[in-house]
Amino acid sequence: MRIRIVDAFTDRPFAGNPAGVLLLDDVFPDDDWLQNVAMEVNHAETAFTHRLPEGGEADWALRWFTPVTEVAMCGHATLATAHVLHTTGAHEGPVRFATRSGVLIATPGADGSLTLDFPTAPLTPVDVPAGVAEALGAAPVAAFDTGPNVGDLLVELADEKTVLTLSPDHRALGAYSARGVIATARADDPSRGYDFVSRCFFPNVGIDEDPVTGSAHTALAPHWSARLGRDDLTGLQASRRTGLVRTGLRGERTLLTGFAVTVVDGELRA
């Protein structure tokens, strides 16, 4: 079958977050095979999708696997999957995905972008856990639980430079949430094209640092919209590859907009 590697939340190759994408014929193969393929691809996520019968609430079924486990929500691999469906002609217009996080919709824009409609993460303020500052290498000014779909500890840091220069103890960070830690700060200079910065560390799912994380922005959007007083923002995920995510807070839903580029189109023989 065909297998593609797509860089998501970027408009150029070798940036953003790479994801494997496989369009399956009908049903999902057994979980061991899906996990082995994801381990072989060895990117943060590999997405598997197949078409559903017409007339239902969704058009395609979608699952996501890291190299070590299946996850409940993934933004960049959903964007990558929608990109493949549209660029190959497998689907036209908005596409509805049936997932473990409910029905997620990806809508193509006239400029070639794609907008994901995801559930907004419920943020609950929590005390900064003991040891987080040492594991992260910086003292948070606030901390939040991001709920079951995202499963991260969100920590706000003093400024953009602090986020950019983090050198955390990844193993130690795994003790503080189901998936990992999102570190964020307000942008020093919004005229540079982004309103906030973030970095995401997910040791519990085999990803020390994720390049660009759509699901994390369902928590970052309400956090920064409340502080900055605007529903529509742009976040820079400041990994080595970097990527931009436009966010639109719409109450219980968050819109995530970005571009994607196919960099590998090959054949899976296993």
Side-chain angles (χ1 to χ4, degrees):
M1 67 185 69
R2 297 279 285 279
I3 183 169
R4 296 163 176 92
I5 306 298
V6 176
D7 290 343
F9 291 114
T10 181
D11 60 0
R12 66 185 191 279
F14 314 124
N17 200 352
V21 178
L22 286 91
L23 308 187
L24 306 173
D25 290 335
D26 42 39
V27 298
F28 293 114
D30 67 76
D31 288 2
D32 287 343
W33 185 86
L34 297 172
Q35 188 63 72
N36 282 332
V37 172
M39 182 173 60
E40 188 76 12
V41 173
N42 202 33
H43 285 312
E45 307 284 350
T46 298
F48 302 89
T49 188
H50 67 78
R51 194 186 302 273
L52 293 171
E54 294 184 4
E57 66 174 3
D59 307 301
W60 294 76
L62 177 62
R63 296 172 69 181
W64 313 278
F65 286 76
T66 79
V68 300
T69 191
E70 184 174 9
V71 298
M73 179 188 289
C74 179
H76 87 276
T78 304
L79 187 79
T81 303
H83 170 78
V84 170
L85 292 176
H86 286 103
T87 56
T88 62
H91 192 93
E92 295 183 359
V95 54
R96 303 168 298 166
F97 293 110
T99 78
R100 289 173 59 179
S101 295
V103 175
L104 307 177
I105 301 173
T107 302
D111 61 353
S113 66
L114 287 157
T115 296
L116 309 179
D117 183 336
F118 271 41
T120 300
L123 297 181
T124 304
V126 296
D127 293 334
V128 176
V132 165
E134 292 76 13
L136 197 58
V141 299
F144 302 84
D145 178 87
T146 59
N149 283 340
V150 176
D152 298 327
L153 178 70
L154 172 66
V155 295
E156 182 180 343
L157 302 181
D159 52 37
E160 180 175 332
K161 181 180 178 181
T162 302
V163 174
L164 299 184
T165 57
L166 289 175
S167 183
D169 179 341
H170 296 102
R171 300 282 76 76
L173 287 180
Y176 299 105
S177 68
R179 184 171 68 165
V181 174
I182 305 167
T184 188
R186 186 190 303 240
D188 289 344
D189 181 5
S191 68
R192 297 167 72 179
Y194 54 91
D195 302 289
F196 59 88
V197 297
S198 66
R199 291 175 67 189
C200 295
F201 309 104
F202 303 142
N204 290 340
V205 293
I207 306 165
D208 283 348
E209 180 168 3
D210 198 35
V212 191
T213 315
S215 60
H217 283 76
T218 67
L220 291 163
H223 178 77
W224 287 112
S225 288
R227 279 157 174 70
L228 301 177
R230 289 185 286 121
D231 288 340
D232 297 311
L233 301 170
T234 298
L236 169 71
Q237 193 154 331
S239 65
R240 183 176 62 85
R241 293 173 64 100
T242 75
L244 290 173
V245 183
R246 300 203 308 265
T247 65
L249 186 63
R250 303 293 185 265
E252 295 183 354
R253 309 295 296 183
T254 293
L255 305 181
L256 309 171
T257 300
F259 293 85
V261 181
T262 299
V263 294
V264 174
D265 187 342
E267 182 178 337
L268 178 67
R269 296 177 177 269

